[in-house]
Amino acid sequence: MSWPCWRNADVIAPDLAPIAFSGSHLDRADHIRSDAAALDALMNWKARLLRMDGLDPVLSPEGALEWGSLADAAPDSELVFLGLDGERGCFAEVRSSYPAGSPHAGPASWNAMAVLGAGELATYGGARSLIGWHARHRFCAVCGQPTRLAKGGWQRSCTSETCSAEHFPRVDPVTIMLVEHEGKVLLGRQPRFPERRYSTLAGFVEPGETIEEAVAREVLEEAGIRVRDVTYIASQPWPFPSSLMIGCHAYAETTEITIDETELDDARWFSREDVVEALEAIGRGELGRAFGAPPKTAIAHVLMRWWIDRG
C-alpha cells in the first residue's frame, strides 16, 4: 500500500471555533515542579484545591468550578500541582482509593462542557486526566513495586532502590479525520453513538506509524476508502481518559464504502447541504434531517464547521 504524503496546512481557516478543553488560564510553572522548596512554599493558606467527585467536577450554583483549601484534602491523599493562578498555587487531590466514575464522559462531564467557560473546562480536563493517570499507576510497570508522586504530580517514581524507574503522565494520540470527495464528506456512526448521530472517523495512532499513515490506515480499515493529501487542521485534548485528538483533512481516492462492522454501525457520504443543516440543527439542540451532528465541544464539530467555512 502506498501512503499519502504529508502536507502542511495551507488552507486552514484563520478563525477556527474555540477548542473545548484547551486554553487553561493556569500557568503550568514547570520550573516549580522540580523545586521541592518552591512547591512547599505554595502549600499555604492561599492555595486552592479543586473539588472533585471522583473523576467528575463539582460545580457551584453559578456553574463554575468549586475550589476549596488544602485543609479539605484527606490526610492520605497525594496533591497534584496544577499550576499558578497569579501567585496562588492550584492543586488537585489523588485519593488513596480509585476515583469513582467511568473513564469515559458521563452526564456530569457533559454538563460541565455545557456550562463551564473555556479556561475552567481546560483546567478540569487537565486535572481529570492527571487524577485518573495517578490512580492507575500506583505500582511500577517495570518491577511491580509501589510508586510515589514526584515533580508536583507530573511524574511517579518507583520506590525500589534497585529499579527507580520514572513514569510520566500518559497521552494517547488519536487521529480524527474529515474525508471529502467532490463536495461530500465521509461520516460514520459507532454502536455507542446516540440514535442517528454521525461523526468523522477516528482511531488511535499505533506504534511505528506517522499521523498521516494512521489517518490512511484507519479510514481504509473502517470504511474501505483510500485517501491522499492528509492535512493537519487542529488538535484537542480529550480527558476521557487522556487522549490528544489530532484533527486532519484528507481527500478520498475511492468512494465505495466497505464497513468494518466491529468498529462502525454505518458510514455514508453526506452533502455540504446535509452538513450545513445538521450543524444549524445541533446549535438549536436538535438533530438534522440527514443526521445528527456532533456537539460543539467535539473537535469533529470544529472540523465540519471548518470545512463548511472554507467554501
Side-chain angles (χ1 to χ4, degrees):
M1 178 186 303
S2 61
W3 300 107
C5 294
W6 181 258
R7 295 193 302 120
N8 289 328
D10 54 359
V11 289
I12 291 180
D15 298 316
L16 281 173
I19 306 291
F21 294 106
S22 67
S24 175
H25 301 311
L26 297 183
D27 176 0
R28 290 174 178 260
D30 177 71
H31 63 286
I32 290 179
R33 297 175 186 174
S34 300
D35 188 335
L39 274 173
D40 286 343
L42 288 174
M43 293 181 181
N44 54 37
W45 63 271
K46 293 189 294 184
R48 300 199 301 172
L49 181 72
L50 181 64
R51 292 193 60 201
M52 300 276 285
D53 179 12
L55 292 173
D56 293 326
V58 175
L59 303 183
S60 70
E62 297 76 28
L65 291 177
E66 278 204 358
W67 297 83
S69 72
L70 298 189
D72 299 325
D76 58 349
S77 289
E78 297 175 319
L79 294 179
V80 172
F81 174 59
L82 299 178
L84 293 174
D85 179 10
E87 297 182 353
R88 181 168 52 183
C90 296
F91 297 83
E93 180 181 10
V94 181
R95 293 183 176 269
S96 58
S97 59
Y98 190 83
S102 168
H104 304 293
S109 294
W110 286 111
N111 179 57
M113 288 184 242
V115 301
L116 288 179
E120 286 205 317
L121 184 60
T123 296
Y124 160 62
R128 180 190 173 102
S129 290
L130 278 173
I131 290 171
W133 176 78
H134 279 285
R136 297 190 303 272
H137 289 79
R138 299 186 187 279
F139 295 91
C140 179
V142 178
C143 71
Q145 292 300 305
T147 59
R148 65 173 181 272
L149 181 146
K151 292 188 176 179
W154 295 87
Q155 177 181 315
R156 293 195 75 84
S157 300
C158 180
T159 56
S160 169
E161 294 182 359
T162 59
C163 178
S164 301
E166 298 176 345
H167 307 277
F168 300 92
R170 172 173 174 169
V171 176
D172 298 315
V174 178
T175 56
I176 180 165
M177 40 277 181
L178 189 146
V179 177
E180 75 166 287
H181 181 79
E182 296 183 355
K184 294 184 178 182
V185 293
L186 177 67
L187 304 177
R189 56 169 285 106
Q190 297 179 12
R192 62 182 178 84
F193 282 8
E195 190 67 24
R196 296 186 59 235
R197 295 274 187 162
Y198 283 75
S199 184
T200 50
L201 303 189
F204 288 97
V205 180
E206 295 185 346
E209 71 179 353
T210 63
I211 292 171
E212 60 270 34
E213 288 173 336
V215 168
R217 175 184 53 77
E218 285 289 344
V219 176
L220 184 61
E221 288 177 355
E222 293 188 358
I225 302 294
R226 295 182 181 274
V227 300
R228 60 176 173 82
D229 296 339
V230 178
T231 303
Y232 167 81
I233 305 301
S235 62
Q236 178 184 37
W238 189 250
F240 307 105
S242 190
S243 296
L244 177 64
M245 308 299 292
I246 304 168
C248 297
H249 170 269
Y251 290 97
E253 291 187 323
T254 58
T255 58
E256 183 176 351
I257 298 173
T258 303
I259 297 172
D260 178 357
E261 295 182 353
T262 64
E263 295 284 344
L264 300 176
D265 272 350
D266 190 25
R268 303 181 190 177
W269 292 101
F270 291 94
S271 69
R272 183 175 296 274
E273 292 73 22
D274 291 336
V275 176
V276 169
E277 196 274 333
L279 291 175
E280 291 175 349
I282 200 66
R284 302 189 299 269
E286 302 171 358
L287 299 181
R289 290 188 295 270
F291 71 98
K296 291 183 178 180
T297 49
I299 192 172
H301 183 106
V302 175
L303 292 175
M304 292 181 191
R305 180 68 64 188
W306 167 83
W307 183 68
I308 293 300
D309 292 345
R310 193 180 61 154

